[in-house]
Amino acid sequence: MKIYTKKGDTGNTSLFGGDRVSKSSERIEAYGTVDELNSVVGFALSLQPCDPVKKILEELQHHLFVVGADLATPLQTRTRVDRIGEQQIQQMESHIDELEEELPALKNFILPGGSQCGAVLHLARTVCRRAERATVVCHQTAPISEFVITYLNRLSDLLFVLARYENRQSNYPETPWTPQ
């Protein structure tokens, strides 16, 4: 099987279920940004994070494939796909709670950065926020699964905590933001 189909050469693509849409559509922007996020998470994994972070990031990559498929499949289609749900959101909240027990309480905003992996996790958080914004825009024009926006919102929180945790494990102190 060839990797290229030439079906997208005119600027359109297919959603799961067969509908053809412009590659500039809100739905394509949303799941394309989720795909970008998954690549940034993969970049973070390539930097060999500590074991708890590695395990969570590997789990998140699988979730992000589900989120992408969820966004690429209109709710009204008969195509059966897994959809992100409450279970994955609760799982992320548990990870956040467990990791935060080992972190000092935040008293100031912190600047993104730290170890290479910590800095990439901060980057992942910002890409996640962009994916969330794109998904909100998509939701304004087309119905999407009720859990996707919540999932992305919680994921950005988890990525922030993962960055802090990885930096702490790597002995990189947090740099508080102080207004000039």
Side-chain angles (χ1 to χ4, degrees), residues 53-165:
V53 172
K54 178 182 181 208
K55 181 179 178 227
I56 292 169
L57 292 177
E58 289 170 345
E59 176 183 292
L60 292 176
Q61 282 201 301
H62 291 280
H63 289 180
L64 288 169
F65 258 90
V66 173
V67 172
D70 195 338
L71 286 168
T73 308
L75 290 178
Q76 70 276 11
T77 189
R78 291 190 174 151
T79 301
R80 162 83 173 92
V81 297
D82 290 336
R83 300 219 183 245
I84 210 69
E86 186 67 33
Q87 178 184 357
Q88 291 85 6
I89 295 165
Q90 289 174 354
Q91 192 174 29
M92 285 191 298
E93 290 172 353
S94 293
H95 290 318
I96 291 168
D97 293 343
E98 289 169 15
L99 294 171
E100 279 195 316
E101 287 179 12
E102 298 184 41
L103 293 171
L106 279 176
K107 296 180 179 165
N108 301 83
F109 288 109
I110 60 169
L111 299 177
S115 68
Q116 285 185 337
C117 186
V120 170
L121 288 168
H122 279 293
L123 174 62
R125 174 187 54 80
T126 65
V127 174
C128 185
R129 287 290 188 201
R130 184 161 35 89
E132 180 185 7
R133 291 188 303 272
T135 301
V136 168
V137 170
C138 176
H139 180 59
Q140 292 169 350
T141 61
I144 61 169
S145 171
E146 64 180 305
F147 295 107
V148 172
I149 295 170
T150 303
Y151 178 87
L152 292 170
N153 186 43
R154 205 69 76 252
L155 176 55
S156 64
D157 296 334
L158 176 56
L159 290 167
F160 178 74
V161 171
L162 287 168
R164 292 188 68 217
Y165 187 87

